[in-house]
Amino acid sequence: MISLLIVDDHPVVRDGLRGMFSADPRFEVLGEAGDGAEAIAAGERLRPDVILMDLRMPRTDGVTAIKELASRGVPARILVLTTYDTDSDVLPAIEAGATGYLLKDAPRDELFRAVEAAARGQAVLSPAVATRLMGQIRQPASEPLSQRELEVLELIAQGSTNREAARQLFISEATVKTHLLHVYAKLGVNDRAAAVATAFSRGYLTPRG
């Protein structure tokens, strides 16, 4: 039997996961946590085989919790279960020590298999995340966007023209164009729309509201 700790800031998600795993004799749910800080304390106290970890939570996020659990020597395998698959979510979680990364729309049987594989120490990735990581490996490492380039890109994403962006940032229109050219080169795109779409997918920009 594989013992579990469920970590998510939404009670309805925790309830659903607890009900699903408790109904299967292969699993035992030892406890729940509503944020990363609670996860660290519960992980140390309960010593589960696998921790199902959400990423974006109040107080202490999932990546911070993963790092802290590892630093405290908690042996649990950590399987990230989240809604987000942007580079800014996936890569830090895996670098922090997560054994696997699944999206919340995964079918029940896939989730069960993933937990069993994680308990054995096997890496588990949802198809979408695996594709994203393969793309990262195949692409040459790109320079990060500068703060000014991000500011220009945010204004463009909001629908500003080059002239409007220049006025809001107190720089010349030519300077805005130069920043955009740098953005295109770093993101490997050729136009404004592709730059905005790529910036959202890589986590440089986040949807408002």
Side-chain angles (χ1 to χ4, degrees):
M1 184 179 285
I2 298 169
S3 60
L4 293 168
L5 170 64
I6 296 169
V7 184
D8 197 288
D9 60 329
H10 294 100
V12 68
V13 174
R14 296 198 304 270
D15 288 348
L17 290 170
R18 175 182 278 277
M20 189 166 65
F21 281 102
S22 296
D24 191 297
R26 292 172 293 176
F27 307 105
E28 178 187 16
V29 179
L30 299 181
E32 302 175 13
D35 61 40
E38 291 180 9
I40 295 164
E44 281 197 299
R45 185 178 72 255
L46 299 172
R47 298 278 165 159
D49 297 318
V50 176
I51 299 175
L52 287 175
M53 181 78 74
D54 192 14
L55 287 184
R56 300 190 190 181
M57 297 179 288
R59 289 209 300 166
T60 304
D61 63 49
V63 170
T64 302
I66 294 168
K67 291 177 181 175
E68 186 62 25
L69 285 162
S71 73
R72 296 188 184 195
V74 176
R77 307 292 186 177
I78 298 177
L79 181 60
V80 171
L81 186 62
T82 186
T83 309
Y84 307 99
D85 67 346
T86 64
D87 292 353
S88 62
D89 292 298
V90 175
L91 299 176
I94 292 173
E95 288 168 357
T99 302
Y101 198 113
L102 280 188
L103 301 182
K104 287 181 179 175
D105 61 1
R108 181 183 63 177
D109 289 345
E110 182 181 333
L111 183 54
F112 284 175
R113 286 195 300 270
V115 169
E116 289 178 314
R120 294 192 296 267
Q122 297 173 355
V124 183
L125 296 173
S126 74
V129 171
T131 300
R132 184 175 292 281
L133 286 176
M134 288 299 293
Q136 280 287 316
I137 291 166
R138 288 170 180 158
Q139 288 174 2
S142 58
E143 277 186 82
L145 299 183
S146 70
Q147 185 59 41
R148 181 60 91 185
E149 288 161 356
L150 277 173
E151 290 169 352
V152 169
L153 195 54
E154 284 172 358
L155 291 172
I156 298 303
Q158 293 165 26
S160 297
T161 64
N162 289 355
R163 182 172 296 176
E164 289 166 344
R167 188 167 61 247
Q168 291 189 59
L169 296 173
F170 303 102
I171 57 179
S172 71
E173 192 173 344
T175 302
V176 169
K177 289 179 181 176
T178 299
H179 284 312
L180 279 176
L181 288 174
H182 290 161
V183 169
Y184 295 169
K186 289 179 179 181
L187 297 183
V189 298
N190 297 313
D191 59 51
R192 296 155 70 97
V196 170
T198 302
F200 275 116
S201 74
R202 294 191 187 179
Y204 284 118
L205 299 177
T206 53
R208 293 176 179 271

